[in-house]
Amino acid sequence: MWIVLSLLLGASAAGRKAPPSAPKVLQPSVSRSLTVPSFSYFGEGQCDKAGNLYFHYVGAGEFRVIHVVGLSAAGTEGTSFKPSGALSDPDKAGFESFSVTPGGDVYILARTRTDKTQIFQFGPDGIMNNPTTLEIPDGVFANDIAAYDNGAILFSGYYEKAGPGHAEGGSYVAVFGPSGKLIKEVPVPLPNVNPSEPTINNGGQTLSADGNVYFVGPNKVFVISRVGEVVRTIPFEKPDPKLVATKIYTSREQLVIVVNRIEDTGAVHPSYLALNGATGERLGYYAAPDEPGLTDVCLSAEGLTFMQFDNGRTKLLTAPLK
Amino acid sequence: MQKWLLASLTLGLLAGQAFAACDGEGPRNVLFNCGGGCTIHRGVCTGIGGVHCNPTALKVLCCNGSSYTSANSCIPTSAELQRFQPDGGVQPNLLANQKSTLVVGTCGAYNGQFEQWLQSHPSVVSARAQLPRAAQ
């Protein structure tokens, strides 16, 4: 009878799924209050290697208005990255996405009224160069971009409709040269997007110090060179398969992947998966410090930096990943 | 950024639904309207029959992003859509044939202080760049 009972208990245990591992709550070690008044922004902030912060500013409220704001790391200075003249009219060129290089160059992806996909490139001083048009196939919609330090662009998007060689919602990833000319389409096997399903897509990309763009998919990081070669892949396992990976940070040998739990209500709860960039080994799984309204903005050797608006002021908290 | 846009939602919001003032609590949803004659395909407004679409952020749902899904009926109205009200207020109605979508945003107070700060704290290089070349 004991044998039967043991077998039953064993079968029962095997049938149970292990609960998703809970993230460890980060503890901030450094907190800095800036004199910057609080503000609203769309999407996610980015930072350069000097710790300057960049946001798609909400301003008058139109998502399509091209206006990225840069704040110096000390919070003492600000820079506007926005086109002037006709291109400042969102009816002529609407914001889609932006990318900041480690050196502080800002690249903004815009879609024009004539359905061209253009890149507006700004130097760290906020001065804009002539726009370039990416040779994107018809029917491809943008998801995100990352700029290489030579001005090449990794573009990711999806096909709106099925066509020769691609399905509806099929991914499109390619590297374009600084002139906008296609260098290479990158074979990144991503699941097709279902346009009728209201969900947030996996995918995020960032330029690393090694000169490659790290592109995060549902369960792999693709390391893509500026000529469109997949240099290597880093598999990873999400703590819960339902989590959606939307952003990746790199710092030295460390990768941090932002994975999100998305409630039916649309509320999004990020957590942070740290990996060894060389081996893919999981180093830790973390949650933001237990304070209200934190959003992650930077990864550095000191840890993950979060921004918070506190009594109308901007505050930065850095938490070591340990 | 577009990855944050939720797909193909035909929404309406109950009239008079109110949200508390924007207090910088963190990431919240932003409601967009694409306008009549447009569809939304994974967050991108697409014109039908040559219509040019003007996606407009209506409002940041600053304090309770979850409220949006609790209002899943559309109230036809001919009233003009209200402009974006980042500091809270009453959610505007949507026309029955219009579509909206969401992005994640982060809210801070909207009282003009940030714009004033930005103008009065230009970075050294950008301030120099804005001077006439002869003055540099």
Side-chain angles (χ1 to χ4, degrees):
Chain A
M1 191 182 95
W2 286 113
I3 294 172
V4 172
L5 189 58
S6 299
L7 284 173
L8 284 173
L9 285 171
S12 169
R16 280 200 306 269
K17 277 188 172 177
S21 60
K24 180 183 176 186
V25 177
L26 291 168
Q27 302 298 324
S29 60
V30 179
S31 172
R32 285 194 297 132
S33 288
L34 309 181
T35 58
V36 184
S38 64
F39 59 96
S40 300
Y41 61 94
F42 293 111
E44 300 159 323
Q46 298 181 32
C47 71
D48 62 22
K49 70 178 176 189
N52 302 314
L53 306 167
Y54 301 83
F55 304 92
H56 177 201
Y57 181 53
V58 167
E62 274 215 48
F63 176 82
R64 296 178 313 135
V65 171
I66 298 172
H67 190 178
V68 170
V69 163
L71 305 178
S72 64
T76 53
E77 297 169 353
T79 305
S80 279
F81 301 86
K82 58 181 181 181
S84 57
L87 293 174
S88 64
D89 179 355
D91 284 344
K92 295 196 168 55
F95 182 96
E96 295 265 325
S97 182
F98 81 103
S99 171
V100 178
T101 66
D105 287 328
V106 173
Y107 291 76
I108 297 176
L109 184 74
R111 194 173 179 92
T112 68
R113 185 167 193 158
T114 53
D115 281 342
K116 284 183 180 169
T117 301
Q118 291 197 316
I119 294 287
F120 297 169
Q121 189 257 323
F122 300 79
D125 55 5
I127 302 296
M128 190 177 103
N129 293 326
N130 286 332
T132 55
T133 300
L134 301 185
E135 295 177 343
I136 305 285
D138 288 343
V140 168
F141 285 88
N143 193 22
D144 207 355
I145 58 167
Y148 292 88
D149 49 16
N150 69 341
I153 298 288
L154 179 75
F155 172 97
S156 66
Y158 61 89
Y159 287 96
E160 184 198 16
K161 293 176 182 166
H166 60 83
E168 177 182 295
S171 66
Y172 176 83
V173 180
V175 173
F176 296 87
S179 66
K181 193 172 177 56
L182 174 68
I183 293 179
K184 190 175 181 186
E185 200 170 324
V186 187
V188 175
L190 294 174
N192 290 347
V193 163
N194 180 354
S196 63
E197 184 185 342
T199 187
I200 290 177
N201 301 330
N202 284 284
Q205 51 208 59
T206 190
L207 178 65
S208 179
D210 65 9
N212 297 312
V213 167
Y214 284 57
F215 181 101
V216 61
N219 51 19
K220 263 182 200 167
V221 176
F222 301 87
V223 182
I224 303 169
S225 74
R226 65 174 66 167
V227 293
E229 298 290 342
V230 177
V231 178
R232 64 192 176 103
T233 58
I234 305 165
F236 67 93
E237 189 177 349
K238 288 181 285 196
D240 179 343
K242 289 180 184 168
L243 297 174
V244 180
T246 56
K247 188 175 184 180
I248 182 167
Y249 293 99
T250 66
S251 176
R252 297 183 178 176
E253 287 292 295
Q254 196 170 53
L255 306 181
V256 172
I257 298 168
V258 183
V259 290
N260 299 274
R261 179 169 59 81
I262 300 162
E263 293 181 2
D264 292 340
T265 59
V268 178
H269 303 281
S271 51
Y272 308 94
L273 185 61
L275 305 178
N276 181 315
T279 64
E281 176 196 1
R282 187 192 290 192
L283 302 175
Y285 178 44
Y286 306 102
D290 193 16
E291 295 204 28
L294 296 183
T295 54
D296 53 279
V297 283
C298 279
L299 177 68
S300 66
E302 287 72 42
L304 197 54
T305 298
F306 296 84
M307 194 167 83
Q308 181 185 45
F309 294 134
D310 184 21
N311 287 324
R313 294 288 170 190
T314 306
K315 197 168 148 186
L316 297 177
L317 298 94
T318 300
L321 298 175
K322 62 181 184 183
Chain B
M1 175 60 217
Q2 296 292 343
K3 65 174 176 276
W4 287 107
L5 296 170
L6 300 185
S8 277
L9 301 176
T10 303
L11 305 175
L13 289 161
L14 296 174
Q17 189 174 15
F19 299 89
C22 182
D23 56 4
E25 282 183 346
R28 293 295 183 265
N29 297 325
V30 180
L31 179 65
F32 279 84
N33 171 56
C34 270
C38 300
T39 62
I40 297 178
H41 213 64
R42 294 210 68 78
V44 177
C45 293
T46 306
I48 302 170
V51 170
H52 179 59
C53 299
N54 292 312
T56 302
L58 293 174
K59 179 175 167 48
V60 175
L61 308 180
C62 289
C63 297
N64 188 358
S66 63
S67 298
Y68 121 82
T69 50
S70 65
N72 53 11
S73 63
C74 201
I75 301 191
T77 172
S78 59
E80 282 190 4
L81 296 167
Q82 293 180 36
R83 291 280 296 167
F84 173 73
Q85 296 178 358
D87 56 352
V90 176
Q91 179 61 46
N93 298 326
L94 291 176
L95 300 180
N97 63 347
Q98 292 182 328
K99 297 186 176 184
S100 293
T101 189
L102 291 169
V103 299
V104 170
T106 297
C107 302
Y110 188 77
N111 50 18
Q113 284 187 9
F114 180 73
E115 281 89 346
Q116 289 173 15
W117 180 89
L118 199 56
Q119 288 177 2
S120 60
H121 293 73
S123 70
V124 175
V125 280
S126 66
R128 192 185 305 129
Q130 286 161 10
L131 290 172
R133 193 165 293 280
Q136 292 186 34

